Amino acid sequence: MIKPGPEMHILVVGSVALDTVKTPFGEAREVLGGSAVYFSASASFFTPVSVVAVVGADFPGESLEFLKKREVDFAGLERRPGRTFRWQGEYGFDLNEAKTLDTQLNVFAEFHPRLPDAYRARELIFLANIDPELQREVLTQVQGPRLVAADTMNFWIREKPDALRRTLEQVQVLIINDAEARMLAGEPNLVRAARKILSWGPRLLVVKRGEYGALSFSDGGWFAAPALPLEQVYDPTGAGDAFAGGFLGFLASTRNFDEANLRRAVIMGSVMASFAVEAFSLERLHNLTYPEIEARYRQFKALAHFEDL
Amino acid sequence: MIKPGPEMHILVVGSVALDTVKTPFGEAREVLGGSAVYFSASASFFTPVSVVAVVGADFPGESLEFLKKREVDFAGLERRPGRTFRWQGEYGFDLNEAKTLDTQLNVFAEFHPRLPDAYRARELIFLANIDPELQREVLTQVQGPRLVAADTMNFWIREKPDALRRTLEQVQVLIINDAEARMLAGEPNLVRAARKILSWGPRLLVVKRGEYGALSFSDGGWFAAPALPLEQVYDPTGAGDAFAGGFLGFLASTRNFDEANLRRAVIMGSVMASFAVEAFSLERLHNLTYPEIEARYRQFKALAHFEDL
């Protein structure tokens, strides 16, 4: 299945943040977070990743050292005067939805992504959950990428629907959760919502459903990926970005976009999300190994497999 | 996979009801319903089913004609003076949970299951969602069944926890939804809840999760079955009993209880539930054909299949 030749490189544009997170299992204060960080930590197990983002003068640069060692390139990380983006959230026992307690955009409020020249030819682009206008600013700076994937959220769906629709015209893979898919399409039925969204540009819609797994929709068919039942979920923060990182990282490393490999990629996204939630912040991804990733993929296979009649 | 020889016969004990149901797509008044009816309609595609239940003098006997034609035996259906059990419920747009508007037990309030002699040797028993003490009354009347499966609900978990635990000691397969599993175990994490429940008697726990599919837990491993994304869900009433009917009916017809066949049975349960919700009451099961069932099984396979790395 894996094609010979070098893997594709990924560019991610998103946030680098300091998170304060409370769950029923504990609390973490001002720990490394943000969509670009979770995404790149996850994707870096598969392929080199370049990050475009912004931090403030207060950002502890050494917190990114472990990612730099994993071939994550931060030449596109701008450091500006002021404070780093901060997010504070809390999860209840069901751990399915974060309650946002506080968001301080800080330097992120004035952020405009500027790609270093070396990044313009990146083949896979991930537009993490940022203003859809900024997502398009990124796309004006790249040269014929093979694949553009994007995330978004309820805030942009509500506040900038037109800008978001224009971005979607340029996106091949949209990776969002089920509430977002329903809200984006204005349609409570997920199948009809998916059909509508696929008519707007994306050729593949990946719908994340937390502990219920993921569904993907395309002309090639529908695919239902399970989530691994986990005995301990410590911190769901970043699970969605870890999912996107596993999904795109796997595609980048295999350079194969056929239906069978897209399904493997959805499972790999689920695999990486399942690791991300096992500890606070990026702790679990720090010491994760590739053999563990492969073993968990096999666990997903054993979990979901059934025979023909 | 299918062993030669005659299929096993199933005995179901549960309710025969007149339902009034409102969903965003319409309303049905005083239509045929009840756990024993949905279960037997579904299981009858696979094997003969005998029903033990009670109805009132007002029950329209002709409504069961289509089931009698399908080898469902109602010799155990008691007719008593008084009114038939009635349930009235409503579903919102998410269709995941019924809001019960009214329950009139009527003749069901005094119900004690009495098995015709011919039923005592039935090999597979399904104890639908009734008082756990009545479930045990059934078990005192049967002779060495191969398999006892049961359902229950929040009301019995709350009101008769000790009786329910005693019933569970005699049950091999428990088929409940995820909220019930968590509540029964007093444990928000589903994996830990499953482990606890499996320590109380059942060797297999099947957890139904509506539009998110089903999970089964046993010593043989965990299995995640998807739900088919449906464009039209008209009426979720009875989906859980149709699931149980497909699951046990398939096991009865194949007479094979190994892990691979139990997984097929969980998928067959999901198949039958997916049909049940496509129309009000039992409408869809009226005209369903076995080739349609096989085709949908293949759809589930296509939906969930992915390759090794």
Side-chain angles (χ1 to χ4, degrees):
Chain A
M1 160 211 78
I2 296 182
K3 298 212 177 147
E7 66 283 81
M8 294 173 169
H9 286 222
I10 301 181
L11 168 67
V12 57
V13 182
S15 61
V16 173
L18 295 174
D19 289 346
T20 294
V21 180
K22 202 174 163 182
T23 83
F25 308 107
E27 197 171 346
R29 296 192 157 275
E30 304 244 317
V31 291
L32 183 62
S35 56
V37 170
Y38 277 102
F39 176 89
S40 60
S42 172
S44 69
F45 285 92
F46 305 92
T47 201
V49 185
S50 308
V51 175
V52 169
V54 61
V55 293
D58 60 344
F59 185 75
E62 67 282 4
S63 65
L64 299 176
E65 279 308 317
F66 83 103
L67 288 171
K68 290 178 182 165
K69 283 185 194 140
R70 302 193 54 83
E71 289 198 81
V72 180
D73 179 345
F74 288 98
L77 181 65
E78 223 181 307
R79 188 181 278 266
R80 295 178 65 134
R83 278 164 63 82
T84 300
F85 175 48
R86 276 165 172 80
W87 178 79
Q88 192 174 344
E90 192 174 342
Y91 297 84
F93 260 108
D94 79 352
L95 292 162
N96 269 331
E97 203 167 357
K99 189 175 151 197
T100 292
L101 300 175
D102 189 31
T103 304
Q104 299 172 19
L105 289 177
N106 299 329
V107 294
F108 207 72
E110 302 295 313
F111 177 54
H112 284 274
R114 264 174 302 192
L115 272 55
D117 284 342
Y119 287 11
R120 295 178 187 268
R122 291 288 180 262
E123 293 162 290
L124 297 188
I125 316 289
F126 183 61
L127 305 170
N129 170 27
I130 58 174
D131 186 330
E133 292 179 13
L134 299 189
Q135 290 179 320
R136 254 176 307 123
E137 285 178 22
V138 174
L139 296 181
T140 62
Q141 299 173 60
V142 295
Q143 295 153 351
R146 276 289 303 272
L147 188 79
V148 177
D151 185 11
T152 192
M153 72 183 292
N154 50 10
F155 181 80
W156 308 118
I157 295 170
R158 197 171 49 236
E159 301 297 325
K160 299 207 171 179
D162 298 334
L164 181 54
R165 284 287 290 279
R166 281 196 298 277
T167 298
L168 288 183
E169 290 169 13
Q170 298 178 259
V171 163
Q172 283 87 53
V173 180
L174 182 64
I175 306 175
I176 53 183
N177 71 35
D178 51 352
E180 289 157 357
R182 292 182 164 100
M183 185 182 177
L184 176 59
E187 166 59 58
N189 180 279
L190 200 54
V191 175
R192 286 198 297 267
R195 193 168 292 141
K196 212 173 195 180
I197 291 167
L198 291 176
S199 77
W200 293 341
R203 289 165 50 198
L204 179 69
L205 171 68
V206 182
V207 178
K208 298 169 289 180
R209 306 203 282 183
E211 66 164 314
Y212 301 115
L215 271 176
S216 70
F217 297 90
S218 73
D219 285 350
W222 304 345
F223 173 52
L228 197 66
L230 291 170
E231 197 150 350
Q232 296 288 3
V233 175
Y234 275 99
D235 176 10
T237 310
D241 296 300
F243 179 100
F247 174 83
L248 274 195
F250 180 78
L251 288 179
S253 71
T254 53
R255 307 193 308 130
N256 173 350
F257 299 83
D258 70 18
E259 172 70 18
N261 210 48
L262 287 169
R263 288 181 174 218
R264 286 191 195 96
V266 170
I267 296 297
M268 203 51 105
S270 308
V271 163
M272 296 309 293
S274 78
F275 283 120
V277 304
E278 285 184 345
F280 276 100
S281 184
L282 289 128
E283 241 172 79
R284 184 64 182 93
L285 301 183
H286 264 272
N287 57 4
L288 186 64
T289 66
Y290 197 76
E292 288 179 300
I293 293 172
E294 291 177 310
R296 187 152 292 182
Y297 186 101
R298 289 190 295 270
Q299 254 186 295
F300 271 79
K301 181 75 187 167
L303 177 70
H305 180 75
F306 59 93
E307 308 278 343
D308 291 328
L309 278 182
Chain B
M1 156 212 81
I2 297 181
K3 297 214 178 146
E7 67 282 80
M8 294 173 168
H9 286 221
I10 301 181
L11 168 67
V12 56
V13 183
S15 62
V16 173
L18 295 174
D19 289 345
T20 294
V21 181
K22 201 173 164 183
T23 84
F25 308 108
E27 198 171 344
R29 294 192 158 276
E30 304 244 316
V31 291
L32 183 62
S35 57
V37 170
Y38 277 102
F39 176 89
S40 60
S42 172
S44 69
F45 285 92
F46 305 92
T47 201
V49 184
S50 307
V51 176
V52 169
V54 62
V55 292
D58 61 344
F59 185 73
E62 67 281 5
S63 64
L64 298 176
E65 280 308 317
F66 82 102
L67 289 172
K68 290 178 182 167
K69 284 184 192 142
R70 300 194 53 85
E71 290 199 80
V72 181
D73 178 347
F74 288 98
L77 180 65
E78 221 181 308
R79 187 180 278 267
R80 295 180 67 133
R83 278 163 62 81
T84 300
F85 175 48
R86 275 164 173 81
W87 178 78
Q88 190 173 345
E90 190 174 342
Y91 296 85
F93 260 108
D94 79 352
L95 293 161
N96 269 331
E97 202 168 356
K99 190 176 149 196
T100 291
L101 301 175
D102 189 31
T103 303
Q104 299 173 19
L105 288 177
N106 300 328
V107 294
F108 207 74
E110 301 296 314
F111 177 55
H112 285 274
R114 265 174 299 191
L115 271 56
D117 284 343
Y119 287 11
R120 294 178 188 269
R122 292 288 179 262
E123 295 162 289
L124 298 187
I125 315 289
F126 183 60
L127 306 170
N129 169 28
I130 57 175
D131 186 329
E133 292 178 12
L134 299 190
Q135 290 178 321
R136 252 176 311 124
E137 285 179 23
V138 173
L139 296 181
T140 61
Q141 300 173 60
V142 295
Q143 295 152 351
R146 278 289 302 271
L147 188 79
V148 177
D151 185 11
T152 192
M153 72 182 293
N154 49 10
F155 181 81
W156 308 118
I157 295 170
R158 197 173 47 236
E159 300 298 325
K160 299 205 170 179
D162 298 334
L164 181 55
R165 283 288 289 278
R166 281 195 298 277
T167 298
L168 288 182
E169 290 169 12
Q170 298 179 261
V171 163
Q172 283 87 52
V173 181
L174 182 64
I175 306 175
I176 53 182
N177 72 35
D178 50 351
E180 288 157 358
R182 292 181 164 102
M183 185 182 176
L184 175 59
E187 167 58 59
N189 180 279
L190 199 54
V191 175
R192 286 198 297 267
R195 192 168 292 141
K196 211 173 196 180
I197 291 167
L198 290 176
S199 77
W200 292 341
R203 289 165 50 198
L204 178 69
L205 170 67
V206 182
V207 178
K208 299 168 289 178
R209 305 202 283 183
E211 65 164 315
Y212 302 116
L215 271 177
S216 70
F217 298 89
S218 74
D219 284 349
W222 304 345
F223 173 50
L228 198 65
L230 291 170
E231 197 150 351
Q232 296 288 3
V233 175
Y234 276 99
D235 176 10
T237 310
D241 296 301
F243 179 100
F247 173 83
L248 273 196
F250 180 78
L251 288 179
S253 71
T254 53
R255 308 192 310 130
N256 173 350
F257 299 82
D258 69 17
E259 172 72 18
N261 210 48
L262 287 169
R263 288 181 174 218
R264 286 191 195 95
V266 170
I267 295 296
M268 204 51 106
S270 309
V271 163
M272 296 310 291
S274 78
F275 284 119
V277 303
E278 285 183 345
F280 276 101
S281 184
L282 291 128
E283 243 172 76
R284 185 65 182 92
L285 300 183
H286 263 273
N287 57 3
L288 186 65
T289 65
Y290 197 74
E292 288 179 301
I293 292 172
E294 291 177 311
R296 187 153 292 182
Y297 186 100
R298 289 191 295 270
Q299 255 186 292
F300 271 80
K301 180 75 186 168
L303 177 70
H305 180 74
F306 60 93
E307 309 278 344
D308 292 329
L309 276 183

